Amino acid sequence: MSQTPREIEALIALMARLPGLGPRSARRAVLHLLARRDSVMAPLAQAMATVALQARDCIVCGNIGTAEICPICDDMRRATGEICVVEHVADLWAMERGGAFRGRYHVLGGTLSALDAVGPEELRIPDLLARVRAEGVGEVILALNATVDGQTTAHYIADVLAATGVRISTLAQGVPIGGELDYLDDGTIGAALRARKRV
Amino acid sequence: MSQTPREIEALIALMARLPGLGPRSARRAVLHLLARRDSVMAPLAQAMATVALQARDCIVCGNIGTAEICPICDDMRRATGEICVVEHVADLWAMERGGAFRGRYHVLGGTLSALDAVGPEELRIPDLLARVRAEGVGEVILALNATVDGQTTAHYIADVLAATGVRISTLAQGVPIGGELDYLDDGTIGAALRARKRV
């Protein structure tokens, strides 16, 4: 029955796939944009196209940036010999918001999962091992989520890295059981980082 | 402290202005897009740019379409002599989802508000009067929201149209007090349309 133009329906369908939006809220968002076509909609489309074109995964750590090597890996002041291993880029951003960590990162992209056929290669764990051997890394901080999958993956990485003799630690005090990094406040992340304990 | 590229921060800031998204959920949505740059993000940016460029307000009724005259005003089968007056394009879409109304629309773009300096001209009420005089309209159905502002505006329009002798009706049965059209189910909208009562 709808007389909505095809192009607008297509846009609503795409918006509805965003996390936090469903078909109805996507429709509301699109109507909001349609009422502000020049002031909001066109700039948003432009910003999104720019990011879609320019964004790329850092070849060293997996962070998202606009160059082959992300600003953190490119910053010599952050060559502290510490690598913080996180599941997702969202977790890296959460760590950076806290501002307590001055070393570099390694973004796994998820956790080990037999069910979803996610093995060590999919999580760039061999890359991590190579970095530890090549970069003169003194400590690897496993900042994985305090979930069963996160801790299983952390144990696996600790086993893989054991042969290298590198110091391995995990975030400790302050991470609530079952909680996820991206939802923590900055103070809690800082406290957990300072109180990290050796595996 | 953030090492997030400027372009990505700009995109998050724009996304956070959408209804239903805040700074944190906008960040999540952008990360979701960043992980699907080619499959979702680029098509979404393209769809949004297309709509921003092509969408325009129908010069007759105020509906949003891609031509000077929207598909409903352009459809001769809908020249039933009935005009349904709604506040927003969202309400028009809600009416169309119901499928009970086969006439044409007039989108006000809001309600009268002394506080926000919204007068009859801002709501295209003179245009409505001109349409009623020019198009041989037999009935005007005031399908405004059942809120104080909506009903105040409906009364004002009924007063303005009284001199033309056109039949004026309002949606009646089924619209809950304080409710808004866009949140009603299709059946309720249909029932309210069929049970409309003469002012």
Side-chain angles (χ1 to χ4, degrees), chain A residues 57-128:
Chain A
D57 298 334
C58 172
I59 57 169
V60 179
C61 76
N63 185 17
I64 291 175
T66 50
E68 195 168 40
I69 294 179
C70 78
I72 296 174
C73 289
D74 208 32
D75 183 350
M76 281 313 294
R77 289 167 302 178
R78 302 198 63 154
T80 60
E82 291 170 324
I83 291 183
C84 179
V85 178
V86 293
E87 289 178 24
H88 297 287
V89 174
D91 302 324
L92 186 160
W93 289 4
M95 292 287 296
E96 286 295 292
R97 282 200 299 276
F101 180 65
R102 301 308 302 154
R104 287 174 176 159
Y105 293 93
H106 195 81
V107 181
L108 296 176
T111 50
L112 292 173
S113 167
L115 215 61
D116 299 326
V118 178
E121 280 77 18
E122 280 75 33
L123 297 183
R124 306 172 63 252
I125 291 175
D127 292 359
L128 175 63

Side-chain angles (χ1 to χ4, degrees), chain B:
Chain B
M1 294 303 297
S2 178
Q3 296 286 345
T4 319
R6 191 169 37 81
E7 297 87 348
I8 296 178
E9 286 295 347
L11 177 59
I12 293 169
L14 283 167
M15 292 285 285
R17 291 165 63 181
L18 291 177
L21 290 179
R24 180 153 285 188
S25 48
R27 195 171 288 275
R28 295 222 142 218
V30 168
L31 277 162
H32 176 94
L33 289 173
L34 282 169
R36 295 157 185 82
R37 290 196 284 278
D38 295 332
S39 61
V40 179
M41 195 179 205
L44 177 56
Q46 181 58 53
M48 200 176 287
T50 302
V51 170
L53 196 68
Q54 297 187 353
R56 49 193 302 181
D57 298 335
C58 173
I59 56 168
V60 178
C61 75
N63 184 20
I64 290 175
T66 51
E68 196 169 39
I69 295 180
C70 78
I72 295 174
C73 289
D74 206 32
D75 184 350
M76 280 313 294
R77 289 168 302 178
R78 302 198 62 156
T80 59
E82 293 170 321
I83 290 184
C84 179
V85 178
V86 294
E87 289 178 24
H88 297 288
V89 174
D91 302 325
L92 187 160
W93 290 4
M95 292 288 296
E96 286 295 293
R97 283 200 298 276
F101 181 64
R102 301 308 301 153
R104 286 172 176 159
Y105 293 92
H106 195 80
V107 181
L108 297 175
T111 49
L112 292 172
S113 167
L115 215 62
D116 299 326
V118 178
E121 280 76 20
E122 281 73 34
L123 297 183
R124 308 173 60 250
I125 291 175
D127 291 359
L128 175 63
L129 188 61
R131 283 184 72 185
V132 168
R133 287 192 168 130
E135 292 182 20
V137 173
E139 180 170 356
V140 171
I141 303 165
L142 300 173
L144 279 71
N145 288 329
T147 57
V148 173
D149 283 351
Q151 293 310 302
T152 305
T153 307
H155 278 293
Y156 176 84
I157 294 174
D159 284 348
V160 167
L161 295 182
T164 66
V166 72
R167 181 202 305 246
I168 303 169
S169 57
T170 61
L171 293 188
Q173 183 194 337
V175 181
I177 303 300
E180 298 192 7
L181 275 188
D182 194 29
Y183 286 101
L184 287 188
D185 63 278
D186 303 344
T188 308
I189 288 182
L193 186 75
R194 284 187 297 277
R196 65 185 181 267
K197 64 170 199 281
R198 192 159 174 178
V199 174

Side-chain angles (χ1 to χ4, degrees), chain A residues 83-85 139-144 150-151 153-155 158 167-173 175 191-199:
Chain A
I83 291 183
C84 179
V85 178
E139 180 170 356
V140 171
I141 302 165
L142 300 174
L144 279 69
Q151 294 310 303
T153 307
H155 279 293
R167 182 202 305 245
I168 303 169
S169 56
T170 61
L171 293 188
Q173 183 194 339
V175 181
L193 185 75
R194 285 187 298 277
R196 64 183 181 268
K197 64 170 202 275
R198 192 160 172 174
V199 174

Side-chain angles (χ1 to χ4, degrees), chain A residues 1-86:
Chain A
M1 292 307 299
S2 178
Q3 296 287 346
T4 320
R6 194 167 36 79
E7 298 86 348
I8 296 179
E9 286 294 346
L11 177 59
I12 293 169
L14 283 167
M15 291 285 286
R17 291 165 64 180
L18 291 177
L21 290 180
R24 181 152 283 190
S25 48
R27 195 170 289 273
R28 293 222 144 220
V30 168
L31 277 162
H32 176 94
L33 289 172
L34 282 169
R36 296 155 185 83
R37 290 197 283 277
D38 294 332
S39 60
V40 180
M41 195 177 203
L44 176 56
Q46 182 57 53
M48 199 176 286
T50 302
V51 170
L53 196 69
Q54 296 186 354
R56 46 193 303 178
D57 298 334
C58 172
I59 57 169
V60 179
C61 76
N63 185 17
I64 291 175
T66 50
E68 195 168 40
I69 294 179
C70 78
I72 296 174
C73 289
D74 208 32
D75 183 350
M76 281 313 294
R77 289 167 302 178
R78 302 198 63 154
T80 60
E82 291 170 324
I83 291 183
C84 179
V85 178
V86 293

